[in-house]
Amino acid sequence: MEVLSVRGGAPLRGTAVIHGAKNSVLPILAACVLCRSPCVLHHCPNIDDVHSAMRILQYLGCRAERSGGTICVDATYVDTCRIPQELAGTMRSSIIFLGAILSRLGCAELALPGGCPLGARPINLHIEALRQMGAVCDCSPECVCCSAGALHEAVITLPFPSVGATENAILAALGCAGSVEIQNAAREPEITDLVRFLQSAGAKISGVGTAKLTVCGGTPLHGTTYTIMPDRIETASFLCAVAGCGGDVTLLRTQRATSEAVCQILEQCECQITEGCDTLRICADRRLRAYAGTIVTAPYPGFPTDAQAPMMAALLRAEGESRICETIFENRFHHVPQLRKLGADIALCGQTACVRAVEHLHGAAMHAEDLRGAMALVIGALQSEEESTITGIKHLRRGYDNLEENLRALGADIKCMEIC
Ligand code: EPZ
């Protein structure tokens, strides 16, 4: 079993390169199923979820090969519409293949997705959107089967701007004869990246970046070459690490615009953040002040739920009392009892966490239960001069590329050990 050993207490200094966005490359890999000739994707992170998506593509009959940060996908031939549990259950974004396969083949049979245990994580919004386009969908506790003689025009209004449901609706709509309007669509930058990829492959989609998308279906897509956007959540995670530990770090190949909500909060907590050309520099040369208001997670452009755990870890020693309210997922505080082992003072009242300042954090043996929570444990451990250990780091491997190496390059004492 892999165990992370962390001994913190030192400020972080230097530069770190931000990788391509996990939550962008995953739907784009699924979207490659719609392209009748090869696609070349640059700036792809080397993470387990991407490996899982490539295995799904290969199972479907596509060629998917990686060379460094570039992945080539050839979906000229797709010879099955089925994704078994051992592949679908590895991550949440396997569900995005549903819309793509249904659009390409007229049928799809997927075991239910896996992913972080953040709550029920139903797929009802995905299914409802497909049904409105004429798909017949049967759901069982194990799998979802969809068929569509011919997907047709529709005006779909999502009750909630679900990222995954928006992505599935877009991909299915490309198989419709006519146009599909998606109202209350998610506006996350990863949706914009998916649309930009599809447009580069010949798709006719308007409203990008807004809550109302119009997809003109019926045109087969061709291959394309595309560069994945920077990972705004990896950016947020590193900003929170420096804020919590102190230091002066420049993040390369990233931008402020897609992390604006996180930057504004950290600046109010007395970090200095300056943007350069594709860079973000953060200086935290004094003890943080607690955030004055309540940090409330919300759909983009609000404060991202994926930054909730890293931000909480950054604020553990911040002078005063910080409040964080999680509104997107009903069970996204797994990191709280673990951070308390470090000596953090965190009270939970429903979906709101109240973080009271502590002067010092001590070492602890912690266990991670989800991807972003795992990052929070790393950030917490980096604030203690004592040694901490973290198990459950398979979660980190799903979404952070080269994390230990990148943190060591900033002066962190962090290493991965293999124990029996
Ligand atoms: C995507 O998950 C991201 N994952 C998540 O990132 C992210 O936290 C989330 O969007 C919100 O931004 C990927 O892109 C692979 P949702 P997704 O559908 O699509 C409810 C990470 O750490 N809902 O926007 O699953 C759902 O239960 C991961 O990188 C329904 O009720 O998120 C949740 O409460 C974690 N029915 C809320 O909507 C549905 O059919 C938001 O879910 C779908 C969703």
Side-chain angles (χ1 to χ4, degrees), residues 22-23 92 121-125 162-164 306 328 372:
K22 166 179 91 79
N23 292 346
R92 173 72 179 181
R121 305 200 79 178
I123 60 169
N124 59 310
L125 301 183
S162 155
V163 171
D306 294 346
I328 303 295
R372 308 303 175 184

Side-chain angles (χ1 to χ4, degrees), residues 22 49 89-93 113-121 306 329 331-332 334 369-374 395-396 398-399:
K22 166 179 91 79
D49 275 9
T90 57
M91 58 179 180
R92 173 72 179 181
S93 68
C116 292
L118 309 175
R121 305 200 79 178
D306 294 346
F329 289 102
N331 191 11
R332 196 166 199 172
H334 297 299
E369 294 183 44
D370 63 83
L371 168 58
R372 308 303 175 184
H395 297 291
L396 279 175
R398 288 188 48 217

Side-chain angles (χ1 to χ4, degrees), residues 24-25 27-35 37-42 73 171 174 190-203 205 208 221-228:
S24 175
V25 68
I28 287 175
L29 284 167
C32 287
V33 167
L34 296 179
C35 299
S37 50
C39 294
V40 178
L41 305 177
H42 295 302
V73 179
L171 297 181
L174 289 167
E190 293 79 14
I191 302 281
T192 298
D193 217 29
L194 171 64
V195 171
R196 295 271 188 245
F197 164 80
L198 292 167
Q199 289 171 328
S200 76
I205 303 172
V208 64
L221 303 188
H222 51 70
T224 185
T225 296
Y226 192 78
T227 298
I228 304 298

